[in-house]
Amino acid sequence: MNPEIEFREGLDELAAHYKGILQLLGEDTERDGVLKTPMRVAKAMQILTRGYTQDANKVLTDALFEEKYNQMVIVKDIDFFSLCEHHMLPFYGKVHVAYIPNGYITGLSKIARVVDIFSHRLQVQERLNLQIKDCIQNTLHPLGVMVVIEAKHMCMQMRGVEKQGAVTTTSDFSGAFNQAKTREEFMNLLHSEGKHI
């Protein structure tokens, strides 16, 4: 789906609700600057929540290859943007994924697509972590998966405690990553400087 062109059913109804919200906030919805805002917001929200209509498991199985490689595969620094389900404000940051194949690998870009699908739903960071890990574990059946997410939450920065520099880090793991040594190897590789491509 091209999120800039194809929109789901209910777009006009969604725009009407946003017009009502603007009026309740005290805005003149006939003013030039906001006349088209309800439809713009409706389209933006459909794009930001497009993950509800996408199947992350299918993304992985569409690029599944038999391969005897059984060492750690890491895809790090995957940018993501999501909306928290509590205030519908953005949270954003980086996702780092490692898995140890067990006879099958998937296209590297597919890992990033899984992140994209789950982050384009109303979320909490902890669940996002779990969903990415479970999807890879249940679809590829690797020897283990580990997912680390580092994010900034606008609900903490713009409202409430208003702490600008706070970063929330979550992790989840399975299989071989239950061993501290394997987790440590991943974290060392994650934070190694190395050469930039």
Side-chain angles (χ1 to χ4, degrees):
M1 173 177 123
N2 183 337
E4 296 299 331
I5 298 172
E6 298 177 25
F7 293 99
R8 308 194 296 274
E9 287 185 22
L11 191 64
D12 290 332
E13 188 178 354
L14 197 55
H17 284 295
Y18 277 114
K19 182 174 182 178
I21 289 168
L22 287 171
Q23 290 168 340
L24 287 170
L25 292 173
E27 185 55 76
D28 174 8
T29 53
E30 299 306 312
R31 188 166 62 80
D32 280 348
V34 294
L35 194 58
K36 295 181 180 178
T37 296
M39 183 55 74
R40 288 190 193 107
V41 176
K43 288 179 177 180
M45 289 305 295
Q46 282 206 355
I47 291 168
L48 294 171
T49 60
R50 67 181 182 260
Y52 287 120
T53 63
Q54 298 172 329
D55 185 342
N57 298 86
K58 187 174 185 309
V59 165
L60 292 180
T61 55
D62 281 351
L64 198 60
F65 309 103
E66 194 169 350
E67 190 61 55
K68 293 187 185 217
Y69 186 82
N70 62 358
Q71 300 300 313
M72 198 178 299
V73 176
I74 299 174
V75 183
K76 67 179 187 175
D77 295 331
I78 303 168
D79 290 315
F80 83 94
F81 299 87
S82 193
L83 292 174
C84 83
E85 65 183 34
H86 301 138
H87 304 97
M88 290 180 68
L89 289 172
F91 68 99
Y92 61 95
K94 305 276 188 188
V95 178
H96 317 288
V97 177
Y99 76 99
I100 301 173
N102 186 22
Y104 292 92
I105 60 171
T106 189
L108 297 176
S109 67
K110 305 308 178 187
I111 301 292
R113 288 280 295 119
V114 167
V115 171
D116 187 64
I117 289 169
F118 287 119
S119 63
H120 280 83
R121 301 175 183 184
L122 297 184
Q123 278 291 6
V124 294
Q125 184 171 332
E126 297 87 345
R127 184 191 313 121
L128 178 60
N129 223 128
L130 179 67
Q131 287 176 330
I132 295 167
K133 187 259 306 180
D134 283 350
C135 179
I136 296 168
Q137 183 65 53
N138 296 335
T139 307
L140 298 183
H141 304 289
L143 298 175
V145 181
M146 184 164 178
V147 179
V148 175
I149 300 177
E150 301 169 301
K152 289 189 173 186
H153 292 250
M154 298 307 286
C155 57
M156 283 184 66
Q157 294 181 311
M158 295 175 66
R159 57 161 298 285
V161 294
E162 296 185 12
K163 298 301 178 192
Q164 308 307 315
V167 176
T168 301
T169 302
T170 54
S171 68
D172 201 356
F173 49 85
S174 64
F177 288 95
N178 283 301
Q179 298 175 19
K181 185 177 179 183
T182 310
R183 291 197 306 275
E184 185 179 345
E185 180 186 348
F186 173 44
M187 297 307 289
N188 287 339
L189 289 167
L190 194 61
H191 295 107
S192 63
E193 294 298 325
K195 292 183 178 178
H196 296 286
I197 297 174

